[in-house]
Amino acid sequence: MSSNRSCGITAHSLMLALLAVAAACEMPGTGVASESEPTRTLTQALSGYEFQAEDTQALQDDPFANPGMLWVDQGQELWRDAGSADEPSCSSCHGESGDSMRGVAARYPAYDAETQSLLNIEGRINHCREKHQQQSPYAYESAELLALSAFVAHQSRGMPIDVFIDGPARTFFDSGQSYFYERRGQMNLACHHCHERNVGRMLRGDRLSQGQPTGYPAYRLEWQTLGSLHRRLRFCNVGVRAEPFSAGAPEYVNLELFLTWRARGLKVDAPAVRR
Amino acid sequence: MLKARISAPARARPGEIISIKTLISHPMETGNRRNSLGARIPRNILTEFVCLYNGRQAFRAELHPAIAANPFLAFHLRADASGTLEFRWTDQDGEVTTETRDLVVEP
């Protein structure tokens, strides 16, 4: 009990320290005119992998022991058998092996002209389910959607991230970018304050990374399960005592586009393992 | 349906020590946690894992609530005859998940 207490106090004073840092350095880059080329405030992008303990990295690197691979396996089964008896499976249109999905996750989220919306991989899968399989969409964070998105993302493992932010994607990008630099919650902190200003420092038990999206869906030891990027974003919102959006909300998809653009130069490393 | 992953060699030389790894999807809910309404989340765990080599028990483990979700178990066997390796996980209600792998042993 007493050790818990002192832990709480430490975390609290760290938060205060962060608030002080946050107040001292206002961020550049907000209010960028929409047409100009956006500037990345990070000089060098580093995957969240670099900030994990060695044993966690080893678990991610082992293609057998990485627990995220359980979802990839399950995704492969669903890939071949997702529809009802009279509807086609994913594989009947996209091929048995899933090879056709190579590189896809590296360029999502992407603007979809048909629905005039921004779709991430989860959104795209659900779109196929509704349009091509006449099935109701999977709930965000359901075992099925996690498995299929892990399967699709895994096909792009090792491929460089490159999303398209011009044309109609730009307004979505701009709103994601502003969200990243906006202060929020009772702690009045922006994503930027933790994931750019304080990278490498400890916050409670975590070493702050750059908040890169490259490893999602990821297996988090604390969750004891695989989770989507949006589940992680909800935690980051709650962490500063801000109201989170629901997973799959358009605000998070916009933010995901910004995060993925900001991650260019990095490679897809899903399913990652995190503390 | 639980999803299991097995890593075991398909062939080995007589007397060779082979390495086996198993991973299975399971929440291993301890029974000690409460949900957001304060109600206890019921315990739901695997209680036993056994590996049978040509029907003979070669490795056995008892699992308890403090074991992490998706249990990963690795162990070694001496390959002495061709045949099957059978892997069995039993949960607290007696439900069994089984996987088998063939092993060819020759010089």
Side-chain angles (χ1 to χ4, degrees):
Chain A
M1 188 67 217
S2 71
S3 73
N4 263 347
R5 264 200 160 220
S6 66
C7 180
I9 287 164
T10 315
H12 184 238
S13 48
L14 230 168
M15 276 297 186
L16 288 179
L18 273 180
L19 283 168
V21 174
C25 36
E26 264 323 310
M27 54 72 41
T30 34
V32 184
S34 195
E35 300 321 316
S36 66
E37 206 36 49
T39 40
R40 185 164 80 177
T41 43
L42 276 177
T43 41
Q44 195 206 351
L46 293 170
S47 164
Y49 174 89
E50 312 293 340
F51 299 84
Q52 295 296 312
E54 257 173 52
D55 50 352
T56 314
Q57 292 179 337
L59 196 57
Q60 173 171 331
D61 291 339
D62 183 335
F64 177 80
N66 181 334
M69 293 306 290
L70 287 166
W71 279 261
V72 175
D73 283 357
Q74 202 210 334
Q76 180 150 33
E77 276 174 22
L78 290 169
W79 178 259
R80 294 179 179 154
D81 176 34
S84 64
D86 34 80
E87 295 295 345
S89 64
C90 317
S91 63
S92 55
C93 293
H94 295 294
E96 271 293 292
S97 65
D99 283 358
S100 62
M101 291 290 129
R102 217 175 134 60
V104 172
R107 54 179 170 76
Y108 269 70
Y111 178 75
D112 176 53
E114 189 190 321
T115 55
Q116 300 188 355
S117 63
L118 184 70
L119 295 179
N120 61 3
I121 285 294
E122 288 88 343
R124 170 56 81 190
I125 292 171
N126 266 337
H127 184 63
C128 272
R129 229 176 114 71
E130 289 183 282
K131 179 178 159 197
H132 298 300
Q133 297 183 309
Q134 278 74 48
Q135 304 273 337
S136 51
Y138 291 121
Y140 218 93
E141 225 57 37
S142 62
E144 291 87 355
L145 191 55
L146 282 171
L148 278 169
S149 53
F151 175 71
V152 170
H154 184 248
Q155 304 299 318
S156 298
R157 213 171 204 227
M159 297 188 66
I161 286 189
D162 193 12
V163 288
F164 197 68
I165 60 163
D166 293 332
R170 189 54 190 261
T171 39
F172 300 97
F173 172 86
D174 286 341
S175 86
Q177 174 172 258
S178 328
Y179 190 89
F180 188 84
Y181 294 106
E182 270 161 27
R183 294 168 173 281
R184 60 178 39 80
Q186 277 183 331
M187 305 228 172
N188 204 27
L189 290 169
C191 316
H192 161 82
H193 293 125
C194 283
H195 293 302
E196 295 196 347
R197 290 273 168 205
N198 286 286
V199 172
R201 295 176 70 190
M202 295 301 289
L203 181 60
R204 297 206 177 91
D206 282 312
R207 187 170 295 283
L208 281 169
S209 73
Q210 295 179 343
Q212 299 288 3
T214 59
Y216 287 79
Y219 190 90
R220 203 171 158 212
L221 300 173
E222 188 185 315
W223 295 335
Q224 294 275 292
T225 186
L226 194 84
S228 68
L229 177 67
H230 293 192
R231 181 170 179 185
R232 175 67 245 187
L233 297 179
R234 283 174 57 82
F235 266 72
C236 284
N237 279 157
V238 171
V240 297
R241 300 194 191 137
E243 195 61 47
F245 295 105
S246 54
E251 289 83 352
Y252 279 160
V253 184
N254 297 346
L255 182 56
E256 183 175 347
L257 178 62
F258 170 73
L259 290 175
T260 314
W261 168 83
R262 178 175 167 270
R264 69 194 181 283
L266 296 177
K267 294 177 172 138
V268 176
D269 54 1
V273 180
R274 295 290 180 260
R275 182 177 160 274
Chain B
M1 243 306 276
L2 304 185
K3 189 101 206 76
R5 284 168 71 81
I6 311 277
S7 160
R11 37 185 68 246
R13 283 182 305 282
E16 187 181 339
I17 306 293
I18 58 172
S19 151
I20 314 265
K21 297 183 204 166
T22 69
L23 180 65
I24 188 162
S25 66
H26 196 282
M28 293 300 282
E29 188 60 58
T30 61
N32 299 323
R33 297 197 308 155
R34 289 174 186 276
N35 67 17
S36 53
L37 301 173
R40 203 181 277 276
I41 306 172
R43 192 177 93 152
N44 174 19
I45 64 167
L46 293 167
T47 50
E48 191 187 66
F49 169 78
V50 178
C51 170
L52 302 171
Y53 182 12
N54 285 333
R56 212 183 88 231
Q57 179 176 303
F59 179 87
R60 177 171 171 273
E62 280 177 20
L63 308 183
H64 295 278
I67 289 174
N70 310 308
F72 171 78
L73 291 168
F75 52 94
H76 294 90
L77 296 182
R78 182 188 305 277
D80 48 23
S82 294
T84 44
L85 292 166
E86 185 179 337
F87 306 92
R88 299 166 65 92
W89 292 261
T90 308
D91 77 4
Q92 60 183 33
D93 305 316
E95 194 86 28
V96 181
T97 303
T98 307
E99 286 280 334
T100 56
R101 292 289 182 277
D102 292 330
L103 175 65
V104 175
V105 178
E106 54 188 18

